[in-house]
Amino acid sequence: MQERTRYINYNVLKEKEHWDDHTREIVLKRLGPFIEYKFLSEHETKMILAIAEHIVYDERKEILLYVVHNLDNTLASPIGENQRKVGIPEHKILVRQGLKAVDKFAQKQYGVSFLEINKQQQLSVLTALSKGEAMQMEWQSIPQKELFKKLATEIVSAYYSHPTVWSEIGYGGPAYPRGYVRVETGLTDPWEAKRDANEA
Amino acid sequence: MPTKHDFVQHNCDHYDGNRYDHLDKRKYGEEADICIVGAGAAGGVLAYELSQAGFKVVVIEAGPFWNPQTDFASDELSMHSLAWNDTRLVAGNNPLAMGHNNSGRGVGGGTVHFTGVFYRFHESDFQLRTMDGVADDWPITYKDLEPYYEKIEKDIAVSGPKHFPWGPFQGPYPYPEREPISANSELFRRGCEKLGIRSAVAPLAILSAPFDGRPPCINRGFCNQGCLPNAKFSTLIHYIPKAIGHGAEVLSDCMVTQVVVDKSGRVTGVTFIHDDKEYFQKAKITIISAFCIETPRLLLHSACPMFPNGLANSSGMVGKALMTHTGHDIYAKFHDEVRIYKGTPVMAVSQEFYETDKSRGFVKGYTLNAHGSRPLGLAKNLVSKADIWGEKLYDIMRDYNFYAQITMVGEVLPDNNNSVTLSNEKDEYGIPRPIITFSYGENDNKLIVHGVQKANEILEATGGKPAFVIPDTGHLMGTCRMGNNSSTSVVDGFCRSHDIPNLYICSAAVFVTSGGCNPTETVMAIAARTADYIIEEAKKDGQYGMRKTSSMT
Ligand SMILES: Cc1cc2nc3c(=O)[nH]c(=O)nc-3n(C[C@H](O)[C@H](O)[C@H](O)COP(=O)(O)OP(=O)(O)OC[C@H]3O[C@@H](n4cnc5c(N)ncnc54)[C@H](O)[C@@H]3O)c2cc1C
Ligand code: SF4
C-alpha cells in the first residue's frame, strides 16, 4: 500500500502565522468544532458521510465531518446554486429526495438500507448512480446523475479545502502576505512541501 | 491599500465599504446625467471617462463594494462569494456552468476575480463574414478600437513582452514582461520551442513593477480569488475610485429590477432594490453594463405596452447569439514536480493557431495559455466536468504537484439558438430566472479537437505524459450584439440601442463574434469608445447638463 502522501514531514498549518488574519480564520474553522446541523437530519448526515468516503476515497472522520458540515451549510444558505438544469429540482429537494431514493434503491437491490450494505455494495450503488444506470421507479422524479454530481461536487470542493489534505498533496496553501519568491522549475521556497528522500 | 480617500466622503458608498445610510438623500437623487447599471469591466471604464468629462454619473451595482484587505482571502472555497451565485437555469446539449468561472458580482464585476490575461483582438476578429463567410462582421474594425486599446494599456500599466508575435499590435507593452515565469509556463515555452511553435510571455493586467501606489505581483497565485496586494488590476481598485474622485456616485448592494420608459418611448431611469426597499433613479441617459445574462434578462423583463417584447428588442435579438469560449483544460503528468499552484496562473501563451487555416477543416482558431490551478479548482472540475471521482480522483490529486496544464481559449461561433430567455420561475425580487441554452456547433467541435491535440503535443515535447482533458468553458459574450442593421442587431457601433435613443448597452453583451482570446481588454476598449461618443454627442447638441464642460478635453 502506498503512503497517502509524498510529503510525510510537511504540515501546511505550521505556516499559519504567515497567513493574513482573514484567511487564517477561515481555514482554521475547518478543523472544528462544528456548529449544529441546520438542514440535514441525522440519518442524512450519516448517509453523506458514507457517500463522501467513496467519492474522495478517504475514511477519516475528522476531515469528512467538515465535508458534511460544509454541505449542510450550503443547503441551509439562501445563496443560489449558480446553475440548475431545466427540469431538475432545487438542490434542497434534490438532495433530500435523492437520499431517500438511494435508500429505497439499496432496499430493493439488497434488502437493507444504504448504510447497512457493505462498502463494496455501496460503491456499486454510487457507480450506478453516476452513470444513470440505477433503473428504478423512484428515479423518475429524481435525476440520479444530477444528484450524484451535486453531492460529489460539493463533497470534493470541501475535501480539497481541508488543510490536512493540502499538506498531503504538497500544496503551499495560503500565500499572503509573503507570496512566492522561487517559482521556476525545480525551485521551492524554504517553507514549501519537500518530498521525503526515500519517497518513490 | 484602501487608505482614506477623502473624495469618497461625498458618496453613499465608501471605499472602505461603509455605507452612508441615506439612499433617500442620494447625490444625484433628483436626476443624474448618466446612470450605469453594473460596475464591472465596462461599467467601471464608463464611470471613469464620463465623470471625468463632467457628467453627473451614478453607478448602480447589485453586489457589494469589496474591500480587498478585509474581504478577500487566499482561499478558493470562501472566495466563491465573488461570483454571481444566483440560480440560473441551464439547457442545451452543452449546458454552461455558471458562477465563479464566468460571472462576477460586486463593484469590479468579473475583473475582481479574472485571471488578468489581457489581449487585443486581431483585425480578423471583426470581419468573420468578409474573411471566412461565416457569422457576421462587426460594425467597427480593429482601427476603431486601436486608440482605446492603447489608452487602456497605458491607464493600467499592462505588463507584457517587448515583442508580441501575433496580431496587429506587436508590443512593446507599457510595463516590462513578468519575470521570472512559473515552472508551468517555462515547460510550455520549452515545449513550444521544440516544436517550432512561437510562444511569448503573456500580456497581463498585473503589475511587473510599482504603479499608481500599487505594488508588483508577489506570485501568490490567487488571482481568481481576488488580489489581496492589489497588484492585479480591477475596476474596483482602479477606475471606480478614480470615478468617485471625479464626482461619480456608486450605489452598491442595489439590484436593478426594471428599466423604465415614458410615453414618448425614452428611458427615464431604473428602479432598484436595496434592503427590500424599492427606489427609482432618474437619469437622462441609461447604460446597461450588466454582462451577458443579466443585461438581456433586464431588457426582456422590462417589457411594457410600447415595447411588449422587451426593450431594445425590435430585432428580436435581445438574448440571442450567446457565446462562450471553449476553455478546455489539458493536463499532462511529468516525472518531476511542476507545482501549478505557484505564480500568476497564466504567464506564457501562444497564438500560433489563432487565424483561419483552411487546411484544418474549420474557421478561426484559438489561444493556448499555460495555466495554473489550485487544488479545489482542479478536483472540482475533475468530478463535475470530467466524471472522475473515487480512487481515480485520489490518485490524480496525490500527484497534484506533478501535473502541468494548458488551457485553450477557443473561438465559438454565434448561433441564435444559444440564448438567454425568461423562465416561469421567479427569484426573490420577483424577476423571472433566466434560461441559458447552449450547444456547441460543428466548427466549435472541430476546433476543440485540434486545440486539445496541439496542447498535448506541446506537453509531450518536454516529457509530459498526456493525462486527462477537462471540457471547460470560459468567458461569456453576446446576447445584445452590435450592428448597423437595426433588424438584426440590438445596438449600433457606439453601443446605442437602435430602438431607444437614450438607452445604451455596453459590456461583453455587445460582442458580435467571440474572437479566439480572452475578451476583457476589448470590453474595456469598447466602453472607452462609447464614453467618447457620448461626450461628443453631448458637446454637439448641448442637451446634457454638464457641470464642468471646461474640463473636457
Ligand atoms: C474566473 C474568471 C477568469 C477570467 N479571466 C479572464 C482573463 O484572464 N482575461 C480576460 O480578458 N477575461 C477574463 N475573464 C472575463 C472577464 O471577467 C469578463 O470578460 C468581464 O468582466 C466582462 O465585463 P462586463 O463589464 O461585460 O461584465 P462584468 O464585469 O461581469 O460586470 C457586470 C456587473 O453588473 C452587475 N449587475 C448585473 N446585473 C445587475 C443588476 N440587475 N443590477 C445591478 N448590477 C448588476 C454585476 O454584479 C457585475 O458587477 C474572466 C472571468 C472570470 C469569472
Ligand atoms: S498572483 Fe499576483 S496578481 Fe495574482 S493574486 Fe497574487 S499577487 Fe495578485
Side-chain angles (χ1 to χ4, degrees):
Chain A
M1 185 52 196
Q2 64 180 11
E3 280 282 353
R4 274 207 91 84
T5 175
R6 292 166 172 275
Y7 307 92
I8 295 166
N9 298 314
Y10 178 64
N11 179 359
V12 76
L13 286 173
K14 281 198 189 139
E15 303 299 325
K16 63 177 186 290
E17 296 315 318
H18 298 278
W19 305 345
D20 64 281
D21 297 344
H22 187 218
T23 303
R24 185 166 50 236
E25 188 189 326
I26 290 168
V27 174
L28 292 183
K29 273 201 187 134
R30 295 181 183 152
L31 303 175
F34 304 111
I35 49 166
E36 272 177 36
Y37 291 105
K38 287 177 273 187
F39 178 84
L40 297 168
S41 72
E42 202 185 324
H43 181 68
E44 287 166 340
T45 61
K46 284 191 183 142
M47 282 188 80
I48 290 168
L49 202 65
I51 292 170
E53 283 188 14
H54 295 283
I55 304 278
V56 297
Y57 197 67
D58 190 348
E59 296 181 346
R60 286 171 293 175
K61 290 273 173 316
E62 70 274 21
I63 300 176
L64 298 185
L65 271 181
Y66 161 63
V67 169
V68 183
H69 270 91
N70 187 65
L71 179 58
D72 180 63
N73 220 9
T74 307
L75 293 171
S77 143
I79 293 173
E81 301 172 52
N82 298 317
Q83 79 281 319
R84 187 192 335 128
K85 272 192 203 158
V86 168
I88 304 289
E90 207 200 324
H91 63 182
K92 295 180 204 231
I93 300 172
L94 178 69
V95 170
R96 180 142 284 159
Q97 299 304 323
L99 291 177
K100 278 194 194 133
V102 170
D103 255 346
K104 266 198 199 158
F105 181 69
Q107 198 80 38
K108 272 207 186 122
Q109 210 81 344
Y110 304 103
V112 283
S113 73
F114 183 75
L115 289 172
E116 289 164 300
I117 56 180
N118 68 33
K119 299 252 150 136
Q120 202 46 49
Q121 292 165 333
Q122 286 182 345
L123 183 62
S124 49
V125 168
L126 292 177
T127 308
L129 285 191
S130 73
K131 295 185 179 146
E133 287 170 357
M135 295 300 189
Q136 296 287 341
M137 278 302 285
E138 46 271 22
W139 298 115
Q140 293 186 347
S141 61
I142 298 299
Q144 43 184 312
K145 270 180 153 176
E146 293 305 319
L147 168 69
F148 180 84
K149 201 160 261 188
K150 181 94 218 168
L151 289 172
T153 307
E154 291 290 332
I155 287 166
V156 162
S157 299
Y159 181 79
Y160 284 100
S161 298
H162 197 283
T164 305
V165 179
W166 291 347
S167 300
E168 285 171 356
I169 63 177
Y171 165 58
Y176 182 73
R178 68 183 160 189
Y180 294 102
V181 179
R182 299 168 186 83
V183 294
E184 305 104 298
T185 313
L187 302 185
T188 48
D189 282 346
W191 49 274
E192 286 184 84
K194 303 282 183 308
R195 287 155 74 190
D196 192 69
N198 308 317
E199 189 270 323
Chain B
M1 292 285 290
T3 47
K4 299 284 168 255
H5 294 244
D6 284 336
F7 46 77
V8 291
Q9 295 290 330
H10 309 293
N11 228 46
C12 271
D13 255 311
H14 195 268
Y15 193 48
D16 284 338
N18 305 316
R19 171 181 290 285
Y20 287 94
D21 215 5
H22 45 63
L23 272 178
D24 286 329
K25 294 186 207 149
R26 274 166 279 151
K27 194 168 173 186
Y28 305 122
E30 296 271 295
E31 182 173 52
D33 293 327
I34 299 185
C35 171
I36 300 167
V37 178
V45 172
L46 286 162
Y48 169 70
E49 298 289 349
L50 293 168
S51 59
Q52 191 183 41
F55 289 92
K56 295 176 190 158
V57 174
V58 57
V59 185
I60 310 185
E61 165 57 49
F65 205 128
W66 307 110
N67 175 346
Q69 290 299 301
T70 50
D71 292 332
F72 299 171
S74 301
D75 182 69
E76 294 181 88
L77 190 60
S78 58
M79 287 297 98
H80 278 155
S81 58
L82 299 176
W84 190 282
N85 293 307
D86 292 15
T87 304
R88 288 145 160 184
L89 302 176
V90 293
N93 299 336
N94 308 95
L96 294 176
M98 300 300 300
H100 191 262
N101 69 320
N102 55 22
S103 325
R105 182 171 177 280
V107 175
T111 63
V112 171
H113 69 291
F114 87 146
T115 315
V117 183
F118 220 62
Y119 297 120
R120 297 185 186 193
F121 269 17
H122 293 195
E123 280 153 330
S124 60
D125 289 329
F126 300 90
Q127 299 186 310
L128 253 61
R129 170 63 51 189
T130 302
M131 295 182 65
D132 295 312
V134 297
D136 271 308
D137 289 348
W138 292 49
I140 58 176
T141 64
Y142 174 81
K143 280 277 168 239
D144 292 318
L145 287 187
E146 192 171 40
Y148 300 99
Y149 280 134
E150 198 179 320
K151 178 179 186 308
I152 280 164
E153 283 163 7
K154 286 212 180 95
D155 268 3
I156 66 169
V158 171
S159 66
K162 283 209 181 72
H163 177 71
F164 189 72
W166 312 274
F169 174 70
Q170 307 215 318
Y173 282 89
Y175 260 40
E177 69 184 19
R178 292 285 306 287
E179 198 263 328
I181 60 171
S182 64
N184 187 52
S185 290
E186 273 185 58
L187 281 175
F188 175 84
R189 295 207 69 182
R190 268 196 266 143
C192 286
E193 186 157 346
K194 285 223 168 119
L195 299 175
I197 297 169
R198 289 176 300 176
S199 72
V201 173
L204 294 166
I206 295 177
L207 297 177
S208 55
F211 171 76
D212 201 21
R214 296 194 278 120
C217 172
I218 56 167
N219 272 322
R220 54 191 269 282
F222 284 92
C223 303
N224 294 154
Q225 283 64 42
C227 180
L228 266 158
N230 285 344
K232 187 188 79 175
F233 151 84
S234 69
T235 55
L236 167 71
I237 60 159
H238 186 90
Y239 288 113
I240 289 288
K242 287 184 197 296
I244 292 171
H246 288 297
E249 179 173 52
V250 177
L251 310 175
S252 57
D253 289 311
C254 293
M255 173 78 177
V256 172
T257 49
Q258 185 111 26
V259 180
V260 183
V261 182
D262 67 11
K263 287 206 183 79
S264 72
R266 288 176 72 86
V267 168
T268 54
V270 300
T271 54
F272 64 92
I273 293 182
H274 172 73
D275 276 350
D276 298 328
K277 217 175 135 190
E278 187 174 282
Y279 300 83
F280 178 68
Q281 175 66 50
K282 197 169 178 216
K284 297 195 175 83
I285 294 179
T286 297
I287 310 177
I288 313 294
S289 295
F291 201 38
C292 307
I293 311 296
E294 294 307 308
T295 298
R297 182 183 182 217
L298 192 55
L299 293 171
L300 293 173
H301 168 65
S302 297
C304 58
M306 191 181 266
F307 300 108
N309 299 323
L311 304 188
N313 196 23
S314 65
S315 62
M317 286 303 291
V318 169
K320 297 266 171 72
L322 172 72
M323 295 167 283
T324 184
H325 278 137
T326 73
H328 286 57
D329 300 319
I330 300 100
Y331 285 82
K333 193 171 166 187
F334 283 77
H335 179 263
D336 295 317
E337 291 174 330
V338 184
R339 299 190 186 235
I340 47 176
Y341 59 84
K342 288 165 67 165
T344 301
V346 177
M347 294 216 233
V349 332
S350 178
Q351 293 194 333
E352 206 72 348
F353 310 100
Y354 197 94
E355 303 290 346
T356 297
D357 170 352
K358 290 262 155 57
S359 73
R360 300 197 293 235
F362 58 88
V363 300
K364 290 298 286 178
Y366 52 86
T367 298
L368 293 177
N369 291 330
H371 208 302
S373 278
R374 270 123 294 285
L376 185 160
L378 172 56
K380 183 179 167 187
N381 278 349
L382 280 169
V383 57
S384 67
K385 290 165 184 159
D387 293 322
I388 293 175
W389 56 281
E391 189 172 1
K392 196 162 171 209
L393 174 70
Y394 160 79
D395 275 342
I396 292 172
M397 292 306 291
R398 183 178 184 269
D399 291 335
Y400 167 68
N401 277 345
F402 293 77
Y403 287 93
Q405 177 191 350
I406 297 174
T407 296
M408 71 179 286
V409 178
E411 172 137 15
V412 161
L413 295 181
D415 176 344
N416 285 348
N417 294 318
N418 292 334
S419 63
V420 176
T421 50
L422 300 182
S423 72
N424 297 325
E425 202 181 296
K426 296 204 168 140
D427 71 2
E428 70 261 40
Y429 304 102
I431 314 177
R433 291 196 195 284
I435 303 179
I436 300 156
T437 307
F438 183 79
S439 309
Y440 281 123
E442 199 186 321
N443 196 75
D444 310 334
N445 282 322
K446 286 185 183 157
L447 183 148
I448 291 168
V449 171
H450 195 271
V452 167
Q453 189 191 326
K454 282 292 162 204
N456 269 326
E457 284 171 15
I458 292 168
L459 291 165
E460 271 186 291
T462 40
K465 273 205 198 87
F468 49 88
V469 176
I470 301 176
D472 207 353
T473 58
H475 316 139
L476 298 176
M477 292 144 292
T479 66
C480 290
R481 74 172 183 204
M482 53 162 70
N484 291 325
N485 183 343
S486 63
S487 62
T488 55
S489 61
V490 179
V491 297
D492 67 16
F494 293 102
C495 296
R496 187 179 206 155
S497 72
H498 292 303
D499 299 350
I500 303 176
N502 68 340
L503 176 67
Y504 287 74
I505 295 160
C506 184
S507 72
V510 304
F511 278 40
V512 179
T513 56
S514 70
C517 66
N518 311 49
T520 304
E521 188 177 355
T522 300
V523 173
M524 289 167 62
I526 288 172
R529 183 168 179 268
T530 296
D532 245 13
Y533 176 75
I534 292 174
I535 294 165
E536 289 309 313
E537 288 293 288
K539 273 190 201 162
K540 251 190 257 163
D541 57 19
Q543 67 170 301
Y544 303 116
M546 289 185 288
R547 287 175 299 138
K548 44 175 188 181
T549 322
S550 55
S551 76
M552 274 174 24
T553 45

